[in-house]
Amino acid sequence: MSENESKRSRRSSGAITLHDVARLAGVSPITASRAINKPEQVSPELLKRVEEAVARTGYVPNRMAGGLASSRSKLIAAVVPSTVISVFNETIEALNNTLFDAGYQLMLGQSAYSADREELLLDSVIGRRPDGIFLTGVMQPGKGRTRLMASGIPVVETWDLTPTPIDMLIGFSHTDIGLAVAKYLLGKGRKQFAIIRAEDERADRRTLAFKAAVTEAGLPDPYVVNVGDQRSIRSGRDAMAKILKHAPRSDAVFCSSDLLALGALTEARSQKIDVPKQIAVMGFGDVPFVADMLPSLTTVRINGGKIGQLAAQYLMDRAEGREVSEPIVNVGFSIIERDTA
Amino acid sequence: MSENESKRSRRSSGAITLHDVARLAGVSPITASRAINKPEQVSPELLKRVEEAVARTGYVPNRMAGGLASSRSKLIAAVVPSTVISVFNETIEALNNTLFDAGYQLMLGQSAYSADREELLLDSVIGRRPDGIFLTGVMQPGKGRTRLMASGIPVVETWDLTPTPIDMLIGFSHTDIGLAVAKYLLGKGRKQFAIIRAEDERADRRTLAFKAAVTEAGLPDPYVVNVGDQRSIRSGRDAMAKILKHAPRSDAVFCSSDLLALGALTEARSQKIDVPKQIAVMGFGDVPFVADMLPSLTTVRINGGKIGQLAAQYLMDRAEGREVSEPIVNVGFSIIERDTA
DNA sequence: ATGAAAGCGCTAACAT
DNA sequence: ATGTTAGCGCTTTCAT
């Protein structure tokens, strides 16, 4: 081993680099780069030599270096409220799969509740210079939104609608859902409504629309129970107990999540209340397992997978300079009629 | 605006860089860098000037450049089988939160089922030069494992035990769980066992140990039903129907996941089979909501949050050159006695 | 089809 | 405490 073959600068990480591969293949680094990234631009013979060198050395290109040089990170960042049995899981999975198949990677950030943390999160996201950012929900005007727009990074907001997205939007109307659910329940002859609702701005809009429709139908105001956690069966049970106690003549409950609805169902069963005869229950989200429970849950289905897949596509299109012909998409929703309503 | 103030090279991305901040603050770039990253090494007055320049420009450091220069990406990669209501969600959330609080970010990769995709995934992970890699499960010997070891990146394997981890390990024994569940059920006087099991190597080991314990107790072999998906209520229902039909004298069912157990419970209820009187049901995972269902599920609890939190800590310790005193940790498990067994 | 030069934006190493 | 220099490993640009 000659000295200048083995010597590496003190700063080097010591890993195999493109230069090593190139030397082994007897070509210049740039040719090796082309052989790896744009094989069609290189003669078959050279291609083979480079491929062999890659295989022999176990070379894995350093994407930080590549990203820095090309200003293309091949990274997409997603900001989600939570990853624990949430209605967003399907979306994340679809997003991740679609990205991976196209050679992109996913960075996951959990959106914070405090404004301070929110800004920290955004900066840490922007700092990676992702080629695109996926947001759950639409971002309210403020520092964060401004910062995001200033960054110039393609952004897709999801799971909601607004006439003024930061950039692209793939969502649906929570107001329409509230209206549709009310109409559905009204159509079933229900007359005394109750609502179980977690602190959540989007759930609020569903609830408000629901209420408005009920009022318009000339029926009494729904009895509303607020709970803390969207994803707690326990909260749903407790809320249902409250309803049964304080508004015993209720004949329909609209819950702001499937898990809350499952809790309501559980409580009803424990009190031997017949669902749906005595009281109808509806959820929101259609998480994978509520279809096969007994009774199966009537709920609002959102095609979360489609949102994720489409968002990935949009973000990559933008990143690669393609036009996105329809930057605002309403994917809608559907009411899935099952046993409980 | 003088010419050389506004001119940027053709390659520049046009974004604000450290140089811009430094010039505005009237210091050299390296001083600006220090003010931002090691504020204690800089005089208060300079610090203030730099902070102002950062605020005024909206500068967000480019972590790709920083990572390249320092060989420290502040990125941790996690490889998980799935993100949809899986038992790993709690772990991912804890991992992500712990990392974020320390200024790290999470890259999420979904492990592939084919060996080809697996290798692609590993390369795409290694290509980012993360400071650490989180793996769900232990990696079987093979190309991927070798590649991972060769990369020199700290790795933590989880959710399982092996005497020969790649690097660090935070898990528990699936064999012990099978044994413990059998013992528990035996202790309750159960004598005719059935198993509902998804294709999953770790579930297999729980099952095998369970079987062995039953055999050792001199009882007949459990009736085993194989299903495709660990996370399907439907599969659990179908499997339970099979058990009720072909092994009607079964008095206890051990399911390889809580969701399967929920399905089994549902089917039992629909056939008016009394749980646990006639047949006991146990799950695995203790996903958040099975505690509050009716009947509440007796299951095996894994402290997924602790695994995630500890894994994050270990990975960061390693990345920052600290010693990890106990690189192999058995976090154990507990059987949570509830209604169904 | 291949290569040389330059530089992406930052920080380690070595001054002062 | 602050600055200078020289890269990190790659790709763009411009030649040939």
Side-chain angles (χ1 to χ4, degrees):
Chain A
M1 217 188 293
S2 84
E3 210 197 336
N4 49 18
E5 284 275 351
S6 64
K7 191 164 51 187
R8 307 200 85 91
S9 104
R10 246 163 308 152
R11 293 195 61 186
S12 159
S13 59
I16 311 277
T17 72
L18 189 59
H19 276 78
D20 302 323
V21 172
R23 214 175 26 207
L24 221 167
V27 297
S28 75
I30 184 61
T31 303
S33 168
R34 280 197 275 251
I36 290 165
N37 299 310
K38 299 162 187 168
E40 72 283 359
Q41 288 187 19
V42 123
S43 74
E45 191 234 351
L46 271 194
L47 180 58
K48 218 181 125 204
R49 259 158 58 202
V50 172
E51 275 169 346
E52 271 172 27
V54 168
R56 235 204 329 272
T57 52
Y59 170 67
V60 181
N62 183 333
R63 274 161 161 308
M64 286 203 289
L68 183 59
S70 65
S71 306
R72 303 275 333 278
S73 63
K74 287 257 182 180
L75 246 189
I76 300 285
V79 177
V80 296
S82 165
T83 52
V84 175
I85 32 165
S86 96
V87 78
F88 306 117
N89 281 339
E90 219 181 314
T91 302
I92 301 173
E93 187 148 324
L95 184 68
N96 205 168
N97 284 334
T98 310
L99 291 175
F100 180 77
D101 289 339
Y104 282 73
Q105 270 146 275
L106 184 70
M107 236 185 68
L108 200 65
Q110 248 171 257
S111 54
Y113 296 98
S114 82
D116 269 16
R117 273 181 67 110
E118 179 83 26
E119 233 188 297
L120 261 176
L121 176 65
L122 273 182
D123 273 2
S124 87
V125 162
I126 296 174
R128 292 281 168 199
R129 303 296 189 264
D131 289 342
I133 297 177
F134 173 101
L135 255 31
T136 30
V138 307
M139 182 156 247
Q140 295 312 305
K143 242 180 159 175
R145 193 171 186 274
T146 310
R147 221 169 172 66
L148 224 39
M149 298 189 83
S151 77
I153 302 170
V155 171
V156 61
E157 290 164 287
T158 62
W159 284 84
D160 203 349
L161 244 40
T162 169
T164 54
I166 296 178
D167 183 0
M168 299 177 286
L169 178 69
I170 302 173
F172 53 88
S173 164
H174 291 268
T175 300
D176 286 357
I177 289 175
L179 256 30
V181 170
K183 201 173 150 200
Y184 175 85
L185 254 15
L186 256 10
K188 296 279 176 191
R190 305 290 166 164
K191 298 202 150 45
Q192 290 266 14
F193 299 96
I195 291 173
I196 300 177
R197 209 206 71 182
E199 290 305 338
D200 176 307
E201 198 269 326
R202 289 186 288 272
D204 282 355
R205 268 181 285 134
R206 297 195 292 271
T207 305
L208 250 40
F210 181 87
K211 251 177 157 168
V214 167
T215 307
E216 183 158 342
L219 293 170
D221 252 21
Y223 178 77
V224 180
V225 182
N226 292 300
V227 300
D229 189 354
Q230 197 77 264
R231 297 158 335 190
S232 152
I233 297 257
R234 184 75 252 165
S235 299
R237 285 193 66 165
D238 294 347
M240 188 62 158
K242 239 185 205 162
I243 291 171
L244 262 16
K245 190 167 170 203
H246 297 114
R249 302 182 50 203
S250 301
D251 61 6
V253 186
F254 178 31
C255 306
S256 68
S257 80
D258 283 351
L259 254 15
L260 287 175
L262 234 45
L265 245 34
T266 304
E267 186 60 29
R269 184 143 60 83
S270 90
Q271 296 199 23
K272 310 246 183 272
I273 305 284
D274 188 308
V275 173
K277 221 177 244 168
Q278 196 169 340
I279 191 163
V281 174
M282 282 189 68
F284 172 79
D286 196 29
V287 296
F289 53 92
V290 294
D292 298 310
M293 304 283 298
L294 203 68
S296 62
L297 185 68
T298 297
T299 189
V300 178
R301 167 153 186 74
I302 307 298
N303 193 340
K306 185 176 176 187
I307 293 180
Q309 188 262 321
L310 211 57
Q313 203 51 64
Y314 273 26
L315 255 10
M316 294 188 298
D317 281 350
R318 262 301 177 63
E320 289 160 22
R322 265 166 274 137
E323 193 81 10
V324 169
S325 60
E326 206 186 337
I328 301 191
V329 178
N330 184 342
V331 296
F333 60 90
S334 44
I335 291 181
I336 309 287
E337 175 160 7
R338 297 206 187 96
D339 297 343
T340 63
Chain B
M1 216 188 294
S2 85
E3 210 196 336
N4 48 17
E5 283 276 349
S6 64
K7 191 163 54 184
R8 304 201 88 90
S9 101
R10 247 163 308 151
R11 292 194 63 187
S12 159
S13 60
I16 311 276
T17 73
L18 189 60
H19 276 78
D20 302 323
V21 172
R23 213 175 27 208
L24 220 165
V27 296
S28 74
I30 186 64
T31 303
S33 167
R34 280 198 275 251
I36 290 166
N37 299 311
K38 301 160 185 168
E40 72 283 358
Q41 286 187 19
V42 123
S43 75
E45 190 234 350
L46 270 195
L47 180 57
K48 219 182 124 205
R49 260 159 57 203
V50 173
E51 276 170 348
E52 271 172 28
V54 168
R56 220 175 16 250
T57 52
Y59 170 66
V60 180
N62 184 332
R63 275 164 162 305
M64 284 203 291
L68 183 59
S70 67
S71 305
R72 304 274 334 278
S73 62
K74 287 256 183 182
L75 245 189
I76 300 285
V79 177
V80 296
S82 165
T83 51
V84 175
I85 34 166
S86 95
V87 79
F88 305 117
N89 281 338
E90 219 180 316
T91 301
I92 302 173
E93 188 149 323
L95 184 68
N96 204 165
N97 284 333
T98 311
L99 291 175
F100 180 77
D101 288 340
Y104 282 72
Q105 273 147 273
L106 183 70
M107 235 185 69
L108 199 66
Q110 247 170 260
S111 54
Y113 295 98
S114 82
D116 268 16
R117 272 180 69 110
E118 180 84 24
E119 232 187 299
L120 260 175
L121 177 66
L122 273 182
D123 274 2
S124 87
V125 162
I126 296 173
R128 293 280 167 200
R129 303 295 190 264
D131 289 342
I133 298 177
F134 173 100
L135 255 28
T136 30
V138 307
M139 182 157 246
Q140 295 313 304
K143 242 177 161 175
R145 193 170 186 276
T146 311
R147 222 169 172 68
L148 225 39
M149 298 190 82
S151 76
I153 302 170
V155 171
V156 60
E157 290 165 286
T158 62
W159 284 84
D160 204 349
L161 244 39
T162 169
T164 53
I166 297 179
D167 183 0
M168 299 176 288
L169 177 67
I170 301 173
F172 53 87
S173 163
H174 292 268
T175 299
D176 286 357
I177 289 176
L179 255 30
V181 170
K183 203 174 149 198
Y184 176 86
L185 255 12
L186 255 11
K188 296 279 177 189
R190 305 291 167 163
K191 298 203 149 45
Q192 291 268 12
F193 299 96
I195 291 172
I196 300 178
R197 209 207 71 184
E199 290 306 338
D200 175 309
E201 199 270 326
R202 289 186 289 270
D204 282 354
R205 268 181 286 132
R206 297 196 291 272
T207 307
L208 249 39
F210 181 86
K211 252 175 155 170
V214 167
T215 305
E216 184 158 339
L219 293 170
D221 254 20
Y223 177 78
V224 180
V225 182
N226 293 299
V227 300
D229 188 354
Q230 197 76 265
R231 297 160 334 193
S232 152
I233 298 257
R234 186 74 251 165
S235 299
R237 286 193 66 166
D238 294 347
M240 187 61 156
K242 238 185 206 165
I243 291 170
L244 263 15
K245 189 166 168 206
H246 296 114
R249 303 182 49 204
S250 302
D251 61 8
V253 186
F254 179 32
C255 305
S256 68
S257 80
D258 283 351
L259 254 13
L260 288 174
L262 235 45
L265 244 35
T266 305
E267 186 60 28
R269 185 143 59 83
S270 90
Q271 294 199 24
K272 311 245 185 270
I273 305 285
D274 189 307
V275 173
K277 220 177 245 168
Q278 195 169 339
I279 191 163
V281 173
M282 282 189 68
F284 171 80
D286 196 30
V287 296
F289 53 92
V290 294
D292 299 310
M293 303 284 298
L294 203 70
S296 63
L297 185 69
T298 297
T299 188
V300 178
R301 166 151 185 75
I302 307 297
N303 193 341
K306 184 176 177 188
I307 294 180
Q309 189 261 322
L310 210 58
Q313 204 50 64
Y314 274 25
L315 256 10
M316 293 188 300
D317 281 350
R318 263 299 177 63
E320 289 161 22
R322 263 166 276 138
E323 192 81 9
V324 169
S325 59
E326 206 187 335
I328 300 192
V329 178
N330 183 343
V331 295
F333 60 89
S334 44
I335 291 181
I336 309 287
E337 176 160 8
R338 298 205 188 96
D339 297 342
T340 64

